[in-house]
Amino acid sequence: MKKIAVLVSGGGTNLQALIDAQARGEIVNGEIAVVISSAPEAYALERAQHANIPSCVLARKDYSSSQSMTIALVNKLRELDIDLVVMAGFMTIVTKELFEVYNNAVINIHPALIPSFCGKGAYGLHVHEQALAYGVKVSGATVHFVTEECDSGPIILQKAVDVLLDDTPETLQRRIMERCEWKLLPQAVSLFCQDRLKVEGRTVQILP
Ligand code: GRF
C-alpha cells in the first residue's frame, strides 16, 4: 500500500476529489496518509479533518527561505514514510531538494493543457483569463510529474473541454475543475500507486 501526502494551500476541491475517490475504492494500492498545508487558514484542512486524515501546516513565512522550507517538508515526508507527493492547489515554491528525494514521485494538477497557459504567473483564475483572452476553442487540465522547472515535467494525463462563447473565467474554471481536474487527479494517483506509470524521457507510458 503506497502512502500519499497531499499538499494544499486553499479550498481543497482537488483534495476532496481524492478523498471521495478513496472512499469509492478508486485509489488502488494507495492511501492518503497526510495533508500538508502551506496556509493555516486553508479550507482544505477542514476537509482533511472531516475525513479523519492527519494534517499539518508548513508555512513559508516560518522559514528563512524556500530551500529551508523545502528541507523541512522533505524531512516530514520521510518521517511519515511517504511514497507519493500530490500537489493539489499548492501555491508555494519548492526547491530541488524535494525532487532529489522524490524523483518522478511528485505530481501536480494544472488547470490548462500544458504547454499552454502555464509557468510563472499562470495559476488559479489567471490561467482561465489567459485562455479566454487568447481565444482558444478548447482548454482543460493536465496532471504531470513535478520537476524543478515550473509546470514542465512529463505529462501523465490530460483532458479537454470546449470553451463556450459566453464563458467567463469563473465558468470555465468550474467546468474544468468538475469535468477534468477532479477526474484526472484520482486516476493519475491510482495509476502511480499501481506502478503503472513508466517515464521515458518526456513521455509517460501507462502500463496495462
Ligand atoms: C485549481 O484550479 C487547481 O487546478 C489549481 O488550484 C486551484 C484550486 O485548487 N492547482 P483546490 O480547489 O484548492 O484543489
Side-chain angles (χ1 to χ4, degrees):
M1 181 67 88
K2 292 196 190 302
K3 295 178 77 175
I4 303 160
V6 184
L7 308 187
V8 297
S9 297
T13 64
N14 280 287
L15 167 64
Q16 193 62 56
L18 291 170
I19 290 169
D20 296 344
Q22 178 170 269
R24 294 193 300 267
E26 294 170 4
I27 310 282
V28 177
N29 197 42
E31 67 171 340
I32 304 171
V34 68
V35 170
I36 300 176
S37 177
S38 63
E41 74 282 359
Y43 184 67
L45 289 168
E46 304 247 339
R47 297 180 190 272
Q49 193 176 8
H50 293 150
N52 297 315
I53 298 171
S55 62
C56 63
V57 175
L58 210 65
R60 170 66 181 78
K61 66 180 173 26
D62 297 338
Y63 296 87
S64 58
S65 67
S66 293
Q67 186 178 39
S68 58
M69 187 220 62
T70 303
I71 290 167
L73 171 63
V74 172
N75 290 340
K76 184 76 183 168
L77 293 168
R78 296 179 81 162
E79 176 193 313
L80 296 171
D81 200 21
I82 296 297
D83 300 294
L84 171 63
V85 181
V86 180
M87 292 182 172
F90 186 66
M91 307 303 280
T92 299
I93 301 293
V94 292
T95 56
K96 65 182 181 340
E97 284 74 13
L98 177 62
F99 316 117
E100 284 165 354
V101 176
Y102 286 92
N103 181 34
N104 282 334
V106 183
I107 66 178
N108 180 52
I109 177 85
H110 182 74
L113 298 173
I114 290 176
S116 296
F117 315 118
C118 63
K120 195 164 174 46
Y123 60 88
L125 220 44
H126 299 307
V127 173
H128 309 293
E129 289 163 355
Q130 291 174 18
L132 291 173
Y134 199 95
V136 294
K137 297 302 180 185
V138 291
S139 190
T142 304
V143 185
H144 63 95
F145 282 112
V146 180
T147 56
E148 199 170 349
E149 199 185 333
C150 183
D151 289 338
S152 59
I155 290 171
I156 300 168
L157 294 172
Q158 290 188 303
K159 186 169 173 35
V161 292
D162 290 335
V163 176
L164 308 178
L165 275 180
D166 60 353
D167 261 328
T168 64
E170 290 76 8
T171 59
L172 182 55
Q173 178 180 54
R174 187 77 197 170
R175 183 156 65 256
I176 289 175
M177 278 175 148
E178 287 173 350
R179 300 190 192 174
C180 307
E181 296 180 45
W182 301 343
K183 295 186 185 309
L184 289 186
L185 194 57
Q187 281 173 14
V189 167
S190 186
L191 287 168
F192 180 95
C193 292
Q194 296 172 66
D195 292 317
R196 289 176 53 194
L197 297 177
K198 186 178 176 192
V199 183
E200 290 173 325
R202 270 215 61 85
T203 58
V204 177
Q205 188 184 347
I206 296 179
L207 304 176

